[in-house]
């Protein structure tokens, strides 16, 4: 008789192992050698393949969707633990959403266990499938996108990022009408510019999406349209040796041109007489010299405003979208389809008469010295375009902005923007290069001319116009859009 039996036991005890719900595992199909080989072959040859839980696609760039990535019990635990964390509001030219700090130090068993799964088993599996030599660095945060939040077009290339991943913890009822899709952009051969959205991936609960980060991995999080749901996710990057980034040709500078001669009669006939009064001009000039900006309300006569607004709403006026998406997205009027009236108004804002009036309003030297000695660099010049702004349009800041030429007077004349609110977006934000704090915000105001003097170290962007703007419908305008006659003047 064994000692254990003498102690009153009936024999060796077998302790059954229990499933530890705090230690997530990779989905069983990812452990299957045949599945892994199939994915590995498809990745290396840029082919599409689909298995029971994995969809791998090569276009527009290699990306993969893994369904039912974790158990529903563990996803629910993550959702609960994430709700206890602080989320910081993040908003700039590129995005608007809420995000945690890096979660590598989060005091939560479920979050820690998920991070460990990524750093160990998932990283090894990704190396095997993709052949990318990942290191031990994994960045991970959690993000919440709510009504009107978005992340605009970008490529993710930064700090040795090699594979991006997103785990969705959205409500099971999330559909395409709720927005918040992960949109993938195509890019033209040999050019590192996004062309158009060619695929939109639904943020399905408990699915994990990953893709290779390259110079052409342009993507965005589409605006969340749902008003009663939030798009919760955990995401980040696996890191490795950086890829050599193809050389990019800078955008050509916008060509400048001297003023159009004359237009004195038209300026006098169209502009509010208030802005020809000497006392008013003196006060405006002093305000501008003190602040480097001013808003001139009721700039044109009311009957003229009605005429030009109607002309801009004409169905035969064609509008051309401008890009690329990682820098700007709005419409400009096609000069070949402009009516005579629209052409004349556009020319008026670039005319000799307007240069002289703006010089009196601002105190800037916007006229040539008549001494016969000035070279072409000293001649005041300008460039401009007639723009249409509506839901989904924006511009982004970037260092090599072809519109950012030295010292410049920005002139923004707004039409059809009655009752425009900052909640819609569409405002112009000025920021000093390398800083986060806004220097100035210009909100579109109907029949108002905004003037801002800036240097090459001051960047500007137009905030993304969100879906709230579509609720604003004015006469002859069913999409909430407004118009801008934009010009930049150089001394």
């Amino acid at each position: 008789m064994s000692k254990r039996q003498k102690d009153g036991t009936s024999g060796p005890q077998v302790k059954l192992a229990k499933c530890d719900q705090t230690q997530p595992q990779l989905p069983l199909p990812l452990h299957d050698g045949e599945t892994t080989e199939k994915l590995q072959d498809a990745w290396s040859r840029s082919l599409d393949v689909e298995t029971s839980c994995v969809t791998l696609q090569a276009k527009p760039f290699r990306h993969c969707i893994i369904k039912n990535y974790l158990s529903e019990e563990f996803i629910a635990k993550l959702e609960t633990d994430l709700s206890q964390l602080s989320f910081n509001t993040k908003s700039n030219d590129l995005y608007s959403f809420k995000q945690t700090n890096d979660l590598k130090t989060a005091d939560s068993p479920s979050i820690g266990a998920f991070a460990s799964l990524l750093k160990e088993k998932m990283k090894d599996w990704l190396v095997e499938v993709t052949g990318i030599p990942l290191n031990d660095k994994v960045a991970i945060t959690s993000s919440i996108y709510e009504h009107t939040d978005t992340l605009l077009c970008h490529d993710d290339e930064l700090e040795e990022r090699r594979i991006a991943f997103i785990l969705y913890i959205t409500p099971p009822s999330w559909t395409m009408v709720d927005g918040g899709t992960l949109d993938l952009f195509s890019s033209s051969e040999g050019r590192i510019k996004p062309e158009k959205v060619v695929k939109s991936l639904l943020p399905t609960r408990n699915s994990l999406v990953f893709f290779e980060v390259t110079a052409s991995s342009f993507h965005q999080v589409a605006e969340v349209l749902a008003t009663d749901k939030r798009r919760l996710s955990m995401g980040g990057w696996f890191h490795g040796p950086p890829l050599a980034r193809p050389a990019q040709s800078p955008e050509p500078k916008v060509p400048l041109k001297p003023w159009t001669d004359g237009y004195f009669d038209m300026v006098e006939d169209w502009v509010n007489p208030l802005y020809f009064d000497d006392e008013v001009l003196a006060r405006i000039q002093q305000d501008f010299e003190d602040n480097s900006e001013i808003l001139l309300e009721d700039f044109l006569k009311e009957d003229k405003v009605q005429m030009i607004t109607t002309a801009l709403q004409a169905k035969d006026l064609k509008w051309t979208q401008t890009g690329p998406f990682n820098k700007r997205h709005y419409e400009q009027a096609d000069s070949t389809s402009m009516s005579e009236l629209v052409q004349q108004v556009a020319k008026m804002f670039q005319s000799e008469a307007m240069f002289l009036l703006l010089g009196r309003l601002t105190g800037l030297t916007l006229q040539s010295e008549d001494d016969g000695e000035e070279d072409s660099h000293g001649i005041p010049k300008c460039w401009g375009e007639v723009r249409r702004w509506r839901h989904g349009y924006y511009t982004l800041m970037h260092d090599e902005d072809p519109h950012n030429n030295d010292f410049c007077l920005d002139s923004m004349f707004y039409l059809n923007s009655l009752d425009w609110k900052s909640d819609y977006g569409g405002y112009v934000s000025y920021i000093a290069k390398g800083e986060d704090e806004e220097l100035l915000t210009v909100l579109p105001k109907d029949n108002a001319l905004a003037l801002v003097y800036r240097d090459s170290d001051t960047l500007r962007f137009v905030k993304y116009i969100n879906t709230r703007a579509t609720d604003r419908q004015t006469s002859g305008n069913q999409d909430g859009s407004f118009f801008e006659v934009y010009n930049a003047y150089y001394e």
Side-chain angles (χ1 to χ4, degrees):
M1 185 177 289
S2 68
K3 181 179 179 181
R4 190 175 296 273
Q5 289 174 316
K6 286 181 179 179
D7 289 342
T9 59
S10 59
Q13 298 291 304
V14 178
K15 190 173 182 179
L16 297 177
K18 293 184 179 180
C19 179
D20 186 353
Q21 294 296 332
T22 65
Q23 298 302 318
Q25 303 295 322
L26 293 180
L28 286 176
L30 301 192
H31 293 283
D32 179 62
E34 184 177 341
T35 298
T36 300
E37 282 186 20
K38 186 183 295 186
L39 294 169
Q40 185 182 49
D41 178 65
W43 184 278
S44 65
R45 298 167 59 195
S46 293
L47 301 175
D48 294 349
V49 67
E50 186 166 0
T51 71
S52 59
C53 79
V54 181
T55 300
L56 173 61
Q57 295 180 318
K59 298 291 180 66
F61 48 85
R62 290 181 290 195
H63 62 281
C64 187
I65 306 167
I66 305 175
K67 297 180 291 186
N68 300 316
Y69 187 70
L70 302 169
S71 69
E72 179 53 40
E73 292 80 6
F74 191 81
I75 282 288
K77 178 61 176 171
L78 276 176
E79 190 170 20
T80 299
D81 289 353
L82 289 171
S83 69
Q84 306 303 311
L85 300 181
S86 296
F87 284 76
N88 308 307
T89 298
K90 301 175 72 68
S91 179
N92 61 15
D93 59 322
L94 185 64
Y95 49 69
S96 176
F97 62 99
K98 295 181 178 68
Q99 189 176 66
T100 65
N101 295 326
D102 194 299
L103 295 176
K104 61 186 176 185
T105 59
D107 185 19
S108 162
S110 67
I111 295 173
F114 177 62
S116 295
L117 176 68
L118 294 175
K119 294 176 182 179
E120 297 166 9
K121 296 178 181 178
M122 188 62 186
K123 185 201 76 173
D124 292 342
W125 184 83
L126 287 171
V127 171
E128 186 175 4
V129 169
T130 68
I132 298 173
L134 303 175
N135 57 36
D136 293 332
K137 181 180 177 182
V138 180
I140 178 172
T141 59
S142 179
S143 300
I144 294 175
Y145 289 76
E146 297 175 305
H147 183 54
T148 74
D149 285 343
T150 187
L151 171 59
L152 300 175
C153 180
H154 64 292
D155 61 17
D156 262 7
E157 273 211 314
L158 185 68
E159 300 171 353
E160 302 183 345
R161 296 171 179 173
R162 295 300 305 273
I163 293 179
F165 69 90
I166 314 100
L167 173 69
Y168 295 113
I169 315 177
T170 46
S173 60
W174 199 280
T175 66
M176 296 297 282
V177 298
D178 295 318
T181 53
L182 178 62
D183 294 340
L184 310 183
F185 288 81
S186 62
S187 55
S188 55
E189 196 72 28
R191 299 171 62 195
I192 313 175
K193 292 182 180 179
E195 290 188 320
K196 61 180 179 180
V197 173
V198 294
K199 192 168 294 184
S200 295
L201 307 181
L202 188 69
T204 303
R205 183 180 180 85
N206 198 15
S207 65
L208 184 136
V209 175
F210 70 85
F211 59 85
E212 181 181 16
V213 176
T214 70
S216 59
S217 56
F218 291 106
H219 60 284
Q220 69 178 13
V221 176
E223 180 184 355
V224 171
L225 304 177
T227 58
D228 58 347
K229 303 175 187 177
R230 34 180 231 168
R231 183 188 185 274
L232 177 64
S233 66
M234 299 179 73
W237 300 272
F238 294 88
H239 294 73
L243 290 174
R245 188 178 180 94
Q248 298 187 65
S249 300
E251 287 188 280
K253 290 287 187 181
V254 173
L256 306 179
K257 60 182 182 180
W259 67 43
T260 302
D261 290 339
Y263 281 78
F264 290 97
D265 290 343
M266 184 173 181
V267 168
E268 185 176 356
D269 188 38
W270 278 64
V271 174
N272 187 333
L274 178 71
Y275 296 114
F276 298 109
D277 182 273
D278 288 338
E279 290 186 8
V280 173
L281 284 168
R283 290 199 302 270
I284 290 173
Q285 185 177 129
Q286 186 60 57
D287 286 346
F288 187 84
E289 289 176 354
D290 292 341
N291 302 302
S292 297
E293 59 91 11
I294 199 163
L295 183 70
L296 306 178
E297 300 187 29
D298 300 318
F299 186 69
L300 298 185
K301 297 175 182 176
E302 188 56 38
D303 61 325
K304 306 301 183 184
V305 170
Q306 295 295 331
M307 289 170 55
I308 186 60
T309 300
T310 301
L312 290 171
Q313 292 173 337
K315 292 183 178 180
D316 54 354
L317 176 56
K318 297 178 181 178
W319 297 88
T320 304
Q321 289 193 351
T322 184
F325 284 93
N326 61 330
K327 294 182 179 178
R328 62 191 72 88
H329 181 49
Y330 61 86
E331 291 174 317
Q332 61 184 39
D334 177 12
S335 59
T336 63
S337 67
M338 285 182 182
S339 66
E340 179 66 21
L341 178 62
V342 174
Q343 290 185 45
Q344 289 302 309
V345 170
K347 290 179 179 179
M348 179 184 73
F349 275 94
Q350 298 182 0
S351 69
E352 178 183 6
M354 186 61 71
F355 268 72
L356 297 179
L357 176 58
L358 292 176
R360 295 187 67 191
L361 289 165
T362 64
L364 298 175
T365 307
L366 295 177
Q367 64 185 83
S368 300
E369 298 293 338
D370 189 20
D371 57 10
E373 298 180 0
E374 192 157 24
D375 61 25
S376 61
H377 295 289
I379 299 175
K381 295 183 179 181
C382 69
W383 77 273
E385 56 191 15
V386 179
R387 300 169 171 175
R388 180 167 68 180
W389 296 95
R390 57 182 173 180
H391 178 215
Y393 288 178
Y394 59 87
T395 68
L396 301 177
M397 293 187 299
H398 49 102
D399 291 338
E400 297 180 353
D401 190 342
H403 306 152
N404 212 30
N405 288 284
D406 303 321
F407 289 88
C408 162
L409 176 66
D410 278 335
S411 165
M412 297 152 281
F413 177 66
Y414 295 109
L415 290 162
N416 210 48
S417 55
L418 189 66
D419 298 326
W420 190 267
K421 300 177 182 178
S422 59
D423 285 350
Y424 302 159
Y427 54 82
V428 183
S429 180
Y430 288 86
I431 294 181
K433 189 179 294 186
E435 302 293 333
D436 294 328
E437 187 174 347
E438 287 183 333
L439 300 173
L440 173 69
T441 298
V442 177
L443 187 69
K445 187 174 180 61
D446 198 47
N447 190 19
L449 179 69
L451 299 174
V452 180
Y453 190 60
R454 62 186 172 98
D455 60 24
S456 57
D457 287 328
T458 302
L459 304 178
R460 70 191 298 273
F461 68 87
V462 177
K463 184 64 174 177
Y464 174 87
I465 298 176
N466 62 55
T467 188
R468 293 189 183 104
T470 60
D471 295 333
R472 174 191 164 272
Q473 295 184 356
T474 58
S475 177
N477 172 36
Q478 300 303 311
D479 60 1
S481 62
F482 66 87
F483 305 104
E484 176 195 9
V485 181
Y486 174 81
N487 286 277
Y489 303 91
Y490 301 88
E491 294 182 276

